[in-house]
């Protein structure tokens, strides 16, 4: 887990404004399949760490040690481990760009001191028994570290191009004739830069980190990377759906919180906003206890439209159909079951205050046909008493077109008697649920026994939630927010303590 988080946090840094755009964007070729924009100076500032020391620990010291193994050159080692910030310009966003089905990648960093960089590269190349060469049109200098790694630069940008020949989807046949220098040629030929409007839109914004990914590759079922991801045919959703699709990610670290927004634009994808709705029935969370609440999951959807959409996608081969086989005896298949739901679901849990008891869990689901639901409950229940059903260890009750399911019979008894909890969910939590199609909210309260979550998390983090929505114009959006307890520090300075490798 820590390794994954380390990679993510390393990628997450601040993107600069359009004032310094020209140098950065012109070197990103139109053939790019993904671009990650990284501003390491902002990362180090917000995390309250030394950029040079962190780079040393993760990368540069290893390179310096390898270099001194066969040449004791103090000048090069000093530059690697103490002067990177004087040679490369980390105040401008560095870029990681992917090509050729993610089998090739280039790291691009702006140059601060070209004279010093040239001096370093000459020394390193000579000790590697390599020659520094000029490109055919003299737009950049380069030398090969090996068959899969090329270092290239001019007075504005320093790049490292790599073939990722150890990835699972690497196709040797496709890369046999593709020399790594072809990527450098693309980068330094600035006559055909990437001009995708979603990419330019990100460039014109100020975010701590952004990613732009062209998903059109997924429409090619013969591509090695696509086969690696899917390992399946395009049943249900046509491969054409992925054409011209773009995924963008924006990350911002602020004082007291961190936000991640993932947006997918799919002009040929067969969904629309009528499938889901951004509202909940007002009585869906009436009996949820807000005191010592662990959090909730809420979902609002158009059950009729969703049922039609699922039938279009899966037909008779709906996943997990066998799990609903028993319902078919009563004329209810999986699609009919979706339509029986009114489209509002709210699941919440709260601490009972008793160390020997599990938390109370309450599921509330709006329904369109009380009679049918009661017939199903009566047929499937282990026990029925005054319209209260016991099913698989849970207690069920139908009231005002809401199906209530709880792990604690006492909770259902209170609903029967219309006993509303003394403490309700906060207004912010309710608004979060009502204004989003899907919400998962987790309260990191130090007073609660959060299973498997240590004190160091509950002491530093207040809450975390994610939301998901289908928007207009073929967009879908996924948002994650982390709230920290310290409202005077940047969230990244708190998060860094949970990431291995950062000082």
């Amino acid at each position: 887990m820590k390794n994954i988080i380390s990679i993510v946090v390393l990628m997450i840094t601040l993107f600069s404004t359009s004032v310094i755009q020209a140098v950065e964007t012109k070197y990103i070729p139109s053939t790019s399949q993904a671009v990650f924009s990284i501003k390491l100076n902002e990362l180090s500032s917000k995390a309250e760490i030394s950029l040079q020391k962190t780079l040393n620990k993760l990368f540069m010291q290893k390179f310096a040690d390898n270099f001194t193994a066969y040449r004791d050159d103090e000048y090069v080692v000093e530059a690697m481990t103490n002067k990177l910030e004087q040679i490369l310009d980390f105040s401008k966003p560095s870029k990681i760009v992917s090509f050729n089905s993610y089998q090739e990648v280039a790291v691009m960093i702006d140059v601060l001191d070209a004279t010093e960089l040239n001096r370093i590269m000459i020394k390193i190349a000579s000790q590697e028994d390599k020659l520094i060469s000029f490109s055919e049109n003299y737009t950049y200098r380069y030398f090969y570290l090996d068959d899969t790694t090329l270092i290239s630069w001019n007075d504005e940008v320093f790049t490292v191009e790599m073939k990722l020949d150890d990835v699972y989807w690497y196709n040797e046949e496709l890369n046999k004739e593709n020399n790594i220098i072809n990527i450098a040629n693309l980068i330094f030929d600035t006559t055909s830069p990437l001009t995708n409007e979603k990419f330019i839109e990100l460039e014109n914004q100020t975010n701590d980190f952004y990613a732009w990914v062209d998903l059109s590759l997924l429409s090619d079922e013969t591509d090695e990377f696509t086969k690696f991801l899917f390992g399946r045919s395009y049943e249900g959703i046509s491969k054409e759906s992925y054409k011209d699709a773009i995924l963008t990610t924006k990350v911002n670290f602020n004082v007291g919180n961190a936000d991640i927004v993932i947006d997918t634009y799919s002009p040929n994808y067969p969904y629309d906003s009528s499938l889901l709705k951004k509202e909940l029935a007002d009585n869906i969370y009436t009996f949820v206890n807000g005191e010592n609440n662990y959090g909730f999951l809420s979902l609002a959807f158009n059950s009729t439209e969703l049922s039609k959409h699922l039938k279009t996608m899966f037909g008779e081969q709906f996943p997990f159909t066998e799990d609903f086989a028993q319902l078919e005896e009563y004329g209810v298949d999986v699609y009919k079951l979706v339509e029986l739901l009114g489209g509002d679901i709210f699941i919440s849990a709260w601490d009972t205050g008793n160390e020997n008891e599990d938390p109370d869990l309450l599921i509330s689901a709006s329904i369109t046909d009380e009679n049918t639901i009661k017939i199903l409950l009566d047929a499937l229940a282990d026990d029925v008493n005054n319209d209260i059903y016991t099913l698989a260890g849970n207690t069920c009750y139908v009231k005002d077109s809401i199906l209530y399911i709880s792990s604690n019979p006492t909770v259902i008894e209170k609903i029967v008697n219309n006993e509303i909890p003394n403490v309700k969910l906060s207004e912010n939590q309710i608004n979060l649920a009502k204004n989003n199609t899907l919400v998962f909210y987790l309260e990191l309260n130090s007073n609660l026994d959060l299973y498997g979550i240590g004190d160091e998390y509950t002491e530093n983090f207040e809450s975390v939630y994610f939301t998901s929505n289908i928007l207009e114009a073929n967009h879908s959006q996924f948002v994650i927010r982390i709230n920290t307890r310290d409202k005077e520090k940047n969230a990244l300075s708190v998060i860094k303590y949970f990431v291995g490798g950062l000082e």
Side-chain angles (χ1 to χ4, degrees):
M1 182 68 175
K2 281 195 172 184
N3 290 335
I4 294 174
I5 296 175
S6 299
I7 294 171
V8 172
V9 172
L10 274 176
M11 300 287 289
I12 295 172
T13 53
L14 185 69
F15 170 61
S16 63
T17 62
S18 58
V19 176
I20 56 174
Q21 249 184 263
V23 170
E24 293 134 8
T25 58
K26 69 182 182 181
Y27 291 107
I28 301 174
S30 58
T31 53
S32 304
Q33 291 175 318
V35 180
F36 302 90
S37 185
I38 306 167
K39 192 175 179 185
L40 293 173
N41 262 4
E42 256 339 291
L43 171 63
S44 61
S45 175
K46 290 191 172 186
E48 300 178 3
I49 59 175
S50 164
L51 175 58
Q52 179 72 69
K53 288 182 179 179
T54 301
L55 289 174
N56 286 353
K57 186 174 182 179
L58 295 174
F59 306 111
M60 300 314 299
Q61 190 61 57
K62 183 186 297 183
F63 296 153
D65 291 343
N66 290 341
F67 186 82
T68 56
Y70 52 84
R71 176 59 184 261
D72 187 12
D73 192 318
E74 293 182 1
Y75 174 79
V76 174
V77 173
E78 175 69 12
M80 284 182 174
T81 57
N82 284 312
K83 293 185 177 180
L84 283 180
E85 293 176 276
Q86 299 173 27
I87 301 171
L88 301 177
D89 191 353
F90 295 112
S91 68
K92 295 178 181 178
S94 304
K95 298 287 196 294
I96 299 175
V97 185
S98 294
F99 305 90
N100 192 20
S101 298
Y102 299 93
Q103 296 178 106
E104 294 168 335
V105 65
V107 179
M108 306 161 59
I109 307 174
D110 282 81
V111 173
L112 189 62
D113 188 335
T115 301
E116 192 69 7
L117 177 62
N118 282 326
R119 189 178 175 190
I120 291 291
M121 291 297 103
I122 290 171
K123 277 184 166 286
I124 292 177
S126 65
Q127 297 309 314
E128 294 279 354
D129 293 326
K130 308 290 183 182
L131 292 176
I132 292 179
S133 304
F134 282 85
S135 61
E136 290 184 5
N137 52 6
Y138 290 91
T139 55
Y140 68 92
R141 286 137 349 238
Y142 70 92
F143 68 88
Y144 289 90
L145 275 182
D146 52 45
D147 292 339
T148 61
T149 307
L150 181 81
I151 294 178
S152 59
W153 71 97
N154 62 11
D155 289 349
E156 291 183 329
V157 64
F158 169 79
T159 74
V160 180
E161 292 83 10
M162 293 169 284
K163 280 191 176 185
L164 306 179
D165 59 350
D166 58 347
V167 293
Y168 294 112
W169 60 90
Y170 190 80
N171 188 328
E172 186 62 46
E173 291 300 317
L174 290 176
N175 286 276
K176 193 172 289 183
E177 303 299 326
N178 193 17
N179 193 303
I180 192 68
I181 201 170
N182 292 340
I183 299 300
N185 289 335
L186 286 172
I187 290 171
F188 289 97
D189 177 10
T190 59
T191 60
S192 182
L194 180 62
T195 57
N196 179 272
E197 62 179 17
K198 299 298 178 186
F199 170 73
I200 298 301
E201 182 180 331
L202 285 168
E203 283 280 291
N204 288 329
Q205 297 175 0
T206 300
N207 296 292
D208 288 357
F209 161 77
Y210 83 68
W212 173 93
V213 181
D214 184 356
L215 298 179
S216 295
L217 180 68
L218 303 182
S219 65
D220 181 5
E221 59 187 342
T222 65
D223 180 81
E224 294 297 324
F225 182 69
T226 301
K227 289 191 287 187
F228 168 76
L229 281 183
F230 287 156
R232 63 164 177 81
S233 61
Y234 292 82
E235 294 180 1
I237 299 177
S238 167
K239 64 181 180 181
E240 304 297 320
S241 302
Y242 295 99
K243 282 190 174 180
D244 302 319
I246 298 293
L247 181 145
T248 61
T249 299
K250 300 185 291 187
V251 180
N252 285 289
F253 292 106
N254 308 302
V255 175
N257 63 70
D259 292 299
I260 302 172
V261 180
I262 302 172
D263 185 279
T264 303
Y265 168 64
S266 307
N268 298 302
Y269 195 83
Y271 61 46
D272 60 68
S273 56
S274 67
L275 293 174
L276 305 175
K277 57 183 181 179
K278 287 186 177 180
E279 59 185 50
L280 283 175
D282 287 334
N283 61 342
I284 199 76
Y285 42 79
T286 301
F287 296 99
V288 171
N289 194 332
E291 185 176 11
N292 291 329
N293 195 286
Y294 286 103
F296 61 86
L297 170 67
S298 70
L299 176 64
F301 58 91
N302 185 322
S303 56
T304 302
E305 291 298 322
L306 182 58
S307 179
K308 291 178 182 177
H309 180 69
L310 292 174
K311 189 173 292 187
T312 300
M313 287 176 60
F314 300 109
E316 299 301 321
Q317 300 301 316
F318 187 85
F320 315 114
T321 298
E322 62 276 6
D323 295 336
F324 300 95
Q326 189 175 359
L327 298 179
E328 294 182 2
E329 299 177 17
Y330 306 94
V332 177
D333 61 13
V334 63
Y335 300 115
K336 177 64 175 178
L337 181 62
V338 172
E339 292 181 23
L340 285 173
L341 296 171
D344 307 294
I345 297 176
F346 202 91
I347 304 172
S348 188
W350 56 89
D351 198 328
T352 60
N354 190 328
E355 294 182 359
N356 298 320
E357 292 184 6
D358 291 332
D360 284 341
L361 175 70
L362 177 63
I363 301 173
S364 308
S366 61
I367 52 178
T368 58
D369 187 337
E370 285 194 16
N371 289 332
T372 300
I373 292 294
K374 286 183 177 180
I375 290 171
L376 290 176
L377 287 173
D378 190 65
L380 300 174
D382 302 317
D383 183 63
V384 182
N385 185 13
N386 294 326
D387 290 331
I388 298 176
Y389 306 87
T390 302
L391 177 63
N394 295 301
T395 307
C396 308
Y397 182 67
V398 176
K399 180 178 183 178
D400 299 329
S401 296
I402 302 290
L403 168 63
Y404 296 101
I405 305 173
S406 179
S407 56
N408 187 347
T410 304
V411 172
I412 296 299
E413 289 177 11
K414 291 181 178 180
I415 294 173
V416 172
N417 296 322
N418 205 36
E419 296 179 18
I420 298 173
N422 294 327
V423 179
K424 299 181 180 180
L425 290 177
S426 70
E427 184 177 351
N428 289 339
Q429 292 171 316
I430 295 300
N431 288 336
L432 189 66
K434 293 188 71 171
N435 294 325
N436 294 280
T437 294
L438 171 67
V439 184
F440 175 75
Y441 179 93
L442 177 62
E443 186 78 21
L444 296 171
N445 191 325
S446 57
N447 294 324
L448 302 179
D449 181 19
L450 292 172
Y451 301 91
I453 299 180
D455 291 340
E456 67 273 16
Y457 288 93
T458 57
E459 288 175 1
N460 287 282
F461 299 103
E462 189 174 79
S463 64
V464 58
Y465 67 76
F466 68 73
T467 63
S468 180
N469 292 292
I470 290 179
L471 308 178
E472 301 293 337
N474 290 85
H475 279 265
S476 62
Q477 194 172 86
F478 187 82
V479 178
I480 302 173
R481 166 168 276 212
I482 300 170
N483 294 306
T484 58
R485 295 200 180 279
D486 193 332
K487 303 305 180 185
E488 297 182 0
K489 282 188 175 183
N490 189 281
L492 188 54
S493 66
V494 177
I495 293 173
K496 74 174 182 181
Y497 292 111
F498 300 89
V499 181
L502 293 181
E503 293 187 355

